[in-house]
Amino acid sequence: MKARNVLALAAGSITLGGWGWWAVGRPWWHGWGVEADEAGRPLPGDDVVADATVSDTRGITIDAPPPAVWPWLVQMGYGRGGWYSYDAVDMRGGSARRIVPEWQSLAVGDVVPTHPGGGFEVRILEPEHALVLYSDSALVSAQERAAAADPGSVDPTPVNVQAAGTFLANAQPGEFSASWAFVIEPLPDGRSRLLERFRARFGAAEQPWTRVTMPVLGFGVFAMMRRQLLGIRERAETAARSGAA
């Protein structure tokens, strides 16, 4: 068999395998931790990317009231409280395990950093209820230009965060817009329901390999966000029990 035919067969097998895993696995991570009515009902921020082609909702119940959960969301971000997920991927050091007063100031229009040179923009902020973040290809480009124009104002990006950013840049089509919503709802007995919804619209795939990398990216996002929800729950419950929330 000619080498080019072998390569074509291998590429086809990888593509089919990737999409097979996408078809089987995505229904699970598409709505991890939520009931059908939660996955389908409107949440704050849905209109930020109104024509999303991807919309995933995850949820978790926390044995702490909304005021004890909210501060952990407000202080999220690289160089702040972290993401409470797999820190080796997206942080320098570990995510915070306490509420830090100087990271509790957040307003619409602020940037929640994902790295030293940029991050998500705050679009909706309803204290103790909803935090909606946003990013798109134009915002990313603007942040990159600003960092390049004044390199001395931006700390070096750690190697681990650089690697994650490079993978994301190559795994998805170039044009995108995405909203990332965190919604806290009160439950009886002083508990909370935390829902996380990620909505995205991607442009046409620019490279053949995105057919393989998009399923990998989808699972990676799910794994990080699942760990994040668990990390927020553990911190909020621990702080509530100790009276430090």
Side-chain angles (χ1 to χ4, degrees), residues 90-130:
D90 55 23
M91 279 293 291
R92 173 188 282 138
S95 294
R97 303 201 68 85
R98 64 183 181 90
I99 301 301
V100 181
E102 53 265 39
W103 293 333
Q104 289 300 302
S105 177
L106 195 64
V108 171
D110 287 349
V111 171
V112 175
T114 56
H115 59 288
F120 290 94
E121 181 182 274
V122 178
R123 284 293 181 90
I124 296 174
L125 191 148
E126 300 174 9
E128 299 182 3
H129 176 53

Side-chain angles (χ1 to χ4, degrees), residues 4-240:
R4 64 183 180 184
N5 292 335
V6 173
L7 291 174
L9 179 61
S13 299
I14 293 171
T15 300
L16 290 173
W19 280 107
W21 170 237
W22 173 261
V24 173
R26 189 172 186 274
W28 174 57
W29 76 65
H30 172 75
W32 180 84
V34 299
E35 301 295 335
D37 62 326
E38 290 180 315
R41 65 183 171 86
L43 290 178
D46 283 356
D47 58 342
V48 173
V49 182
D51 53 349
T53 53
V54 173
S55 181
D56 292 346
T57 307
R58 267 80 56 158
I60 199 166
T61 298
I62 300 176
D63 191 14
V69 179
W70 179 252
W72 298 99
L73 302 183
V74 173
Q75 70 179 26
M76 288 190 303
Y78 175 88
R80 292 165 54 87
W83 298 104
Y84 318 119
S85 186
Y86 296 106
D87 294 329
V89 175
D90 55 23
M91 279 293 291
R92 173 188 282 138
S95 294
R97 303 201 68 85
R98 64 183 181 90
I99 301 301
V100 181
E102 53 265 39
W103 293 333
Q104 289 300 302
S105 177
L106 195 64
V108 171
D110 287 349
V111 171
V112 175
T114 56
H115 59 288
F120 290 94
E121 181 182 274
V122 178
R123 284 293 181 90
I124 296 174
L125 191 148
E126 300 174 9
E128 299 182 3
H129 176 53
L131 173 63
V132 181
L133 308 178
Y134 176 80
S135 184
D136 61 22
S137 47
L139 178 61
V140 170
S141 295
Q143 291 173 346
E144 289 176 346
R145 288 194 300 270
D150 189 9
S153 67
V154 179
D155 293 335
T157 302
V159 173
N160 61 325
V161 179
Q162 284 183 10
T166 299
F167 172 77
L168 289 172
N170 291 317
Q172 65 188 20
E175 297 294 325
F176 78 94
S177 58
S179 63
W180 190 11
F182 297 84
V183 180
I184 310 172
E185 298 178 337
L187 294 176
D189 304 322
R191 296 175 299 142
S192 299
R193 187 75 173 143
L194 175 59
L195 300 176
E196 170 266 319
R197 176 169 290 172
F198 180 80
R199 290 171 57 83
R201 181 182 67 250
F202 296 104
E206 297 177 353
Q207 300 293 342
W209 60 73
T210 57
R211 291 185 299 168
V212 176
T213 58
M214 285 296 286
V216 176
L217 176 62
F219 180 76
V221 169
F222 157 71
M224 295 294 291
M225 291 183 177
R226 176 183 177 275
R227 183 68 188 88
Q228 179 186 45
L229 291 175
L230 293 169
I232 293 170
R233 181 176 69 180
E234 188 269 331
R235 286 166 171 83
E237 291 183 349
T238 298

